[in-house]
Amino acid sequence: MYFKFTFCPIILLLWASLSFAQNVNVVIHGAASIAKTDDNFVCVTLDWWPAEKCDYNQCPWGKAGILNLDLRYGALINAIKAFNPLRIKVGGSLQDNVVYKVGEVSSCPNFMKREDGLFGFSQGCLSMERWDQLNRFFNHTGVKLTFGLNALFGRNESQTEKGLWIGDWQPQNTRDFMQYTISKGYKVDSYEFGNQLSGSGMGAKVDAKQYGKDVIVLKNLVKELYAHPETQPKVLGPGGFYEEKWFNTFLEVSGQGIVDGLTHHIYNLGPGDDPNMMNKILDPSYLNQVSQTYKGVSDVVNKFRPQLGAWVSESGGALNGGSKDVSRTFADGFWYLDQMGMASTYDQKVFCRQALIGGNYGLLNATTFVPNPDYYGALLWHRLMGSTVLAVTKESDPNLRVYAHCAKKKPGVSLIFINLSKDRSFNITFSNAKPGDAGKPNYEFVGKQNREEYHLRALTGDTKDDIMCLNDVPMVQTDSEDIPAMDPKLVDASTPISIAAQSIAYVTIRDFEAPACV
């Protein structure tokens, strides 16, 4: 049980006021957007891992997997409903080892530990009874669903190259599954073909040309079974780590109009047992390194122009379940929210967090369903940051990260400030970029309406705390397991915005003139 503080200790406010403050002017380029995200940019995953999944001498999945998650918990239901709607992707490492008990498939085995199996497990099964339960749950909570399909069905592992799966994909089990799904009226927004089979693969891989041919088969199957274009799910792929040659080859083979969205995975913090995890999260130069991946994916999208652009369909920061000491704490938000900000500037349409629940990187505690700090950071992004992305420039310490979007609820702009510094706060003023003439000075912006500010920090001042404060109010569920109110602080627009050391802040400015946001 968490002790339910009603306020954050006042000593932290005194500590923050003693940190060295630096004045920073942030220039918002509001004349035109630099990128567009999907309206449901924030996405989370549900994974197949059974309780026996263990890494680093710990087994953090418990009963959080798709097949054994108790869907009746009020805390789980309320956490999803708060997004109204939340995009969820069902998938993960074992999805290419899942058969669907429908049609010609009569047996339905559970995942069992097996040394020679994919990721150390035997084949598993999704019964239609469980699929019914999941869809009742998705319908009740208003989920926008992406389902990850088994792309290894019918293939065999090569006898000459370890990890390479060869042969044509056999679509019959997927056909039967889709026909059942359609007959029940279940809504699927999109199907993703396979998990981490691209390039060198993770556990298994498929040749790019073969994958390209098979995704055409999938697209034709979807077109055949979903006759009405307005209800036809999108086809996504490849759902793996970006490798330029592999991605180019697969898209050249599949051709235009087959893959609706290009999906890739990001785990830029490395293994979950890395003792330097905190140093990585707080190092701006390290965080910037992944921008090369976003740029590479963006370049491929610009070349082949899939309808939905690029998606980050899985990103948990740290591999193999995350870091037990960091992923569920306030500190993880420095990585997570910065990644969403960076991804959006590179025109990534969706960002899926691994996972909603399970492992150490779940947004919800795997046993209590209590939200971790990153849950609240994601919910604020979903509510405040619109789909139109704006450029921002500043001259300051690189520890201050800033991203700007048109406000989700018009009018105005919304920004997120991430302060990685341990001992420096920032006082922020704004300028409006002079459109069309870089040689002229920017307009100094002085607002007339109160700003809406949401300041986030760790309860005790230790960034490894698992309770977050919003405007000095601890974020803990109510007695009825509802998500607490997340109200802004209204601040005089004539004053600078103060971003405390090792804190995060969302700010909405209603009267900022940004033509891109009209």
Side-chain angles (χ1 to χ4, degrees):
M1 290 288 293
Y2 288 108
F3 179 79
K4 292 194 174 182
F5 295 90
T6 57
F7 59 89
C8 294
I10 193 68
I11 189 171
L12 295 179
L13 300 178
L14 297 174
W15 171 82
S17 68
L18 294 175
S19 64
F20 174 72
Q22 180 176 335
N23 297 325
V24 177
N25 184 257
V26 170
V27 181
I28 302 175
H29 300 258
S33 65
I34 59 169
K36 284 272 191 179
T37 70
D38 187 86
D39 288 337
N40 298 106
F41 175 74
V42 175
C43 165
V44 296
T45 69
L46 286 174
D47 207 301
W48 293 100
W49 288 122
E52 293 78 15
K53 165 64 173 172
C54 304
D55 292 289
Y56 316 127
N57 299 315
Q58 51 173 323
C59 307
W61 281 91
K63 294 185 177 180
I66 293 164
L67 297 178
N68 53 21
L69 178 63
D70 191 334
L71 305 173
R72 299 169 298 175
Y73 276 96
L76 175 64
I77 292 168
N78 293 340
I80 295 174
K81 279 187 170 182
F83 280 82
N84 189 34
L86 177 60
R87 184 187 292 276
I88 288 182
K89 190 196 82 168
V90 170
S93 298
L94 292 180
Q95 80 180 50
D96 295 304
N97 222 18
V98 176
V99 296
Y100 317 121
K101 188 186 177 186
V102 61
E104 297 176 355
V105 175
S106 57
S107 64
C108 200
N110 291 322
F111 289 117
M112 302 289 289
K113 294 283 285 183
R114 199 179 87 184
E115 287 188 12
D116 62 343
L118 187 64
F119 294 100
F121 285 91
S122 66
Q123 190 176 75
C125 171
L126 174 63
S127 70
M128 293 304 96
E129 291 79 12
R130 182 58 174 174
W131 185 229
D132 293 339
Q133 293 172 5
L134 287 164
N135 277 279
R136 285 194 293 269
F137 176 75
F138 294 149
N139 184 61
H140 177 59
T141 54
V143 165
K144 198 173 186 71
L145 179 65
T146 295
F147 187 85
L149 294 167
N150 179 346
L152 293 184
F153 194 88
R155 305 187 204 270
N156 295 298
E157 188 170 6
S158 168
Q159 298 297 309
T160 58
E161 184 175 348
K162 184 175 176 58
L164 176 66
W165 286 66
I166 56 176
D168 294 334
W169 175 64
Q170 300 300 312
Q172 187 60 51
N173 192 222
T174 292
R175 172 186 286 274
D176 294 337
F177 173 70
M178 286 185 181
Q179 286 177 326
Y180 181 88
T181 299
I182 293 167
S183 72
K184 290 289 188 174
Y186 299 150
K187 295 179 181 178
V188 177
D189 175 73
S190 45
Y191 288 108
E192 187 176 38
F193 189 52
N195 184 81
Q196 295 180 350
L197 301 175
S198 58
S200 302
M202 288 286 287
K205 61 183 178 180
V206 172
D207 177 77
K209 291 181 180 179
Q210 181 67 58
Y211 184 93
K213 290 190 295 184
D214 293 328
V215 83
I216 294 172
V217 174
L218 172 60
K219 183 68 171 184
N220 289 335
L221 179 63
V222 170
K223 284 182 175 180
E224 174 194 342
L225 299 181
Y226 292 87
H228 301 290
E230 63 272 15
T231 60
Q232 193 175 100
K234 307 298 189 293
V235 172
L236 311 175
F241 293 106
Y242 173 66
E243 290 188 19
E244 181 181 3
K245 183 178 179 181
W246 195 99
F247 272 56
N248 275 282
T249 300
F250 126 65
L251 289 169
E252 286 167 356
V253 171
S254 62
Q256 295 285 343
I258 300 298
V259 175
D260 299 296
L262 186 70
T263 55
H264 67 110
H265 293 180
I266 295 285
Y267 281 91
N268 59 314
L269 296 179
D273 63 347
D274 186 344
N276 294 315
M277 188 70 63
M278 278 296 297
N279 292 332
K280 290 180 176 180
I281 285 176
L282 295 173
D283 181 354
S285 62
Y286 185 88
L287 295 176
N288 287 341
Q289 290 175 15
V290 74
S291 65
Q292 294 304 309
T293 298
Y294 290 128
K295 183 181 184 305
V297 173
S298 180
D299 288 344
V300 172
V301 166
N302 290 335
K303 180 178 179 181
F304 292 97
R305 300 193 179 284
Q307 176 190 350
L308 301 181
W311 291 24
V312 179
S313 63
E314 186 178 315
S315 183
L319 287 161
N320 300 325
S323 167
K324 69 180 179 64
D325 297 321
V326 178
S327 294
R328 64 185 69 178
T329 71
F330 179 80
D332 198 62
F334 296 128
W335 161 79
Y336 177 40
L337 298 177
D338 182 68
Q339 283 299 294
M340 289 206 292
M342 188 185 302
S344 66
T345 65
Y346 281 94
D347 214 28
Q348 311 287 294
K349 305 304 183 183
V350 172
F351 191 99
C352 296
R353 166 66 179 257
Q354 172 81 347
L356 172 63
I357 188 167
N360 291 308
Y361 41 32
L363 295 184
L364 307 178
N365 183 286
T367 54
T368 66
F369 297 88
V370 169
N372 290 320
D374 278 352
Y375 170 87
Y376 296 107
L379 183 56
L380 282 172
W381 182 291
H382 180 73
R383 291 177 175 178
L384 301 176
M385 307 292 277
S387 60
T388 301
V389 186
L390 305 175
V392 291
T393 54
K394 62 179 177 63
E395 293 182 6
S396 72
D397 190 316
N399 285 302
L400 178 66
R401 323 279 284 184
V402 187
Y403 302 98
H405 290 219
C406 296
K408 192 152 196 175
K409 293 182 179 179
K410 294 183 177 181
V413 299
S414 290
L415 301 99
I416 181 171
F417 298 89
I418 303 168
N419 186 353
L420 304 176
S421 175
K422 296 179 181 179
D423 55 12
R424 179 169 297 183
S425 60
F426 296 93
N427 294 325
I428 310 296
T429 56
F430 291 101
S431 292
N432 197 339
K434 178 86 72 173
D437 192 344
K440 292 184 178 180
N442 299 312
Y443 296 104
E444 180 183 358
F445 172 75
V446 180
K448 295 185 171 70
Q449 296 183 28
N450 285 340
R451 292 189 304 267
E452 300 163 22
E453 299 187 4
Y454 305 77
H455 291 267
L456 315 179
R457 59 184 179 83
L459 174 69
T460 62
D462 182 350
T463 57
K464 287 191 177 181
D465 202 317
D466 60 2
I467 297 180
M468 183 185 81
C469 291
L470 167 58
N471 293 335
D472 302 319
V473 177
M475 289 291 97
V476 291
Q477 284 179 313
T478 66
D479 291 335
S480 59
E481 297 183 317
D482 288 322
I483 299 303
M486 302 179 72
D487 299 321
K489 178 170 62 173
L490 300 180
V491 181
D492 184 346
S494 66
T495 61
I497 299 171
S498 180
I499 312 296
Q502 291 197 328
S503 75
I504 299 166
Y506 286 95
V507 177
T508 297
I509 308 171
R510 294 294 175 192
D511 56 346
F512 190 93
E513 294 183 8
C517 300
V518 174

